[in-house]
Amino acid sequence: MANEFEDIVCFENVSMSYPLSGEVLREISLKLAAGSFYFITGSSGAGKSSLMRLMFLAHRPSKGKISIFGKDIMSLTRDDRSALRRKIGVVFQEFKLINHMSALDNVALPLRIAGVSESKICEYVPELLRWVGLEKKIESKATTLSGGEQQRVAIARAVIARPRLLLADEPTGSVDDEIAVRLMHLLEELNKNGTTIVVATHNDELVHRFPHPEIRVEKGGISGSSTAFL
């Protein structure tokens, strides 16, 4: 169990570059305490998604040190990285659903990998799909769902196993306002149960409606008034 004062994520002077586009993040220093909830905001192309991918271990920094759950990511073995990722729920804009599987089976996948019984899966998964407004789409294949419906399945899959850290990149970008608010309430409930939440969004209305600290990314740097900054 995470100590309430443990830093789930810690960046120390982190920079990141892509081979073709050059440096996208520079000298980023921040820390996210266990059980916190942060918005990452900024204009399109500012580096929000790159910051999230570093937190998910999808990329390595070109400079600086990143620690996730107290572990220096540069010292991890492949097995260590896999074990760390299992503690992280991720919702990226491309969804990454398995097309030939139903909504139920996509959401159930993390539980099946973890060895959860089918009786528990049949209890938990339909309930969560109802919560995100997909009670009539439980058996629908991913390819038959709209973009907004696929996004809700991806969110349900990310939260079903109650990860210690949830990273959500524009999680409400393809849904209407009512569903967006409903999804935010779901994330807040998860946060109340101990999950650290990081939501990247350009939706200023959501940021204003839900009073959580903000990390703003602009021109590769970060700003804001919050406890995230070292």
Side-chain angles (χ1 to χ4, degrees):
M1 181 69 68
N3 183 291
E4 64 175 321
F5 300 111
E6 175 188 349
D7 293 331
I8 292 288
V9 176
C10 185
F11 282 38
E12 299 178 44
N13 301 313
V14 169
S15 298
M16 178 182 168
S17 301
Y18 291 113
L20 297 180
S21 55
E23 190 175 62
V24 293
L25 296 172
R26 66 177 183 279
E27 298 294 331
I28 301 291
S29 292
L30 60 81
K31 58 181 178 180
L32 307 181
S36 57
F37 190 129
Y38 280 95
F39 285 115
I40 295 179
T41 62
S43 58
S44 179
K48 299 190 301 295
S49 294
S50 295
L51 186 60
M52 300 283 274
R53 291 181 182 279
L54 284 173
M55 292 182 188
F56 179 56
L57 313 179
H59 293 296
R60 291 174 181 256
S62 55
K63 177 186 174 184
K65 178 182 177 182
I66 298 176
S67 298
I68 308 291
F69 304 117
K71 308 268 188 190
D72 182 348
I73 69 166
M74 300 303 286
S75 66
L76 298 176
T77 65
R78 180 177 297 181
D79 288 344
D80 290 337
R81 290 173 72 86
S82 296
L84 222 55
R85 279 178 167 163
R86 285 194 289 273
K87 300 178 182 179
I88 305 173
V90 182
V91 183
F92 285 133
Q93 294 180 51
E94 55 267 28
F95 309 140
K96 295 186 177 179
L97 301 180
I98 300 176
N99 288 332
H100 69 273
M101 291 172 59
S102 68
L104 185 148
D105 286 334
N106 266 285
V107 176
L109 191 59
L111 298 182
R112 288 183 171 133
I113 291 173
V116 175
S117 69
E118 286 299 315
S119 63
K120 291 294 186 184
I121 288 172
C122 290
E123 177 185 351
Y124 297 152
V125 176
E127 179 182 354
L128 184 54
L129 285 170
R130 282 193 293 273
W131 177 257
V132 298
L134 293 176
E135 61 273 13
K136 296 181 179 179
K137 300 285 186 174
I138 288 176
E139 298 300 333
S140 298
K141 295 289 191 293
T143 50
T144 69
L145 301 175
S146 69
E149 289 167 343
Q150 289 185 32
Q151 190 159 26
R152 282 180 272 167
V153 171
I155 291 170
R157 182 183 60 187
V159 307
I160 189 67
R162 296 181 180 271
R164 286 183 61 192
L165 171 64
L166 178 70
L167 306 172
D169 192 1
E170 301 288 357
T172 63
S174 298
V175 298
D176 61 33
D177 290 343
E178 180 182 352
I179 293 295
V181 170
R182 195 169 183 175
L183 292 175
M184 285 300 302
H185 284 306
L186 174 63
L187 297 182
E188 287 197 320
E189 284 301 314
L190 194 66
N191 178 243
K192 288 176 184 176
N193 287 321
T195 297
T196 303
I197 308 285
V198 182
V199 175
T201 184
H202 65 271
N203 189 327
D204 291 336
E205 184 177 338
L206 276 185
V207 174
H208 293 147
R209 180 166 182 169
F210 294 89
H212 299 292
E214 180 181 350
I215 300 169
R216 186 160 186 85
V217 184
E218 288 295 348
K219 298 181 180 179
I222 60 173
S223 63
S225 55
S226 77
T227 56
F229 302 100
L230 294 175

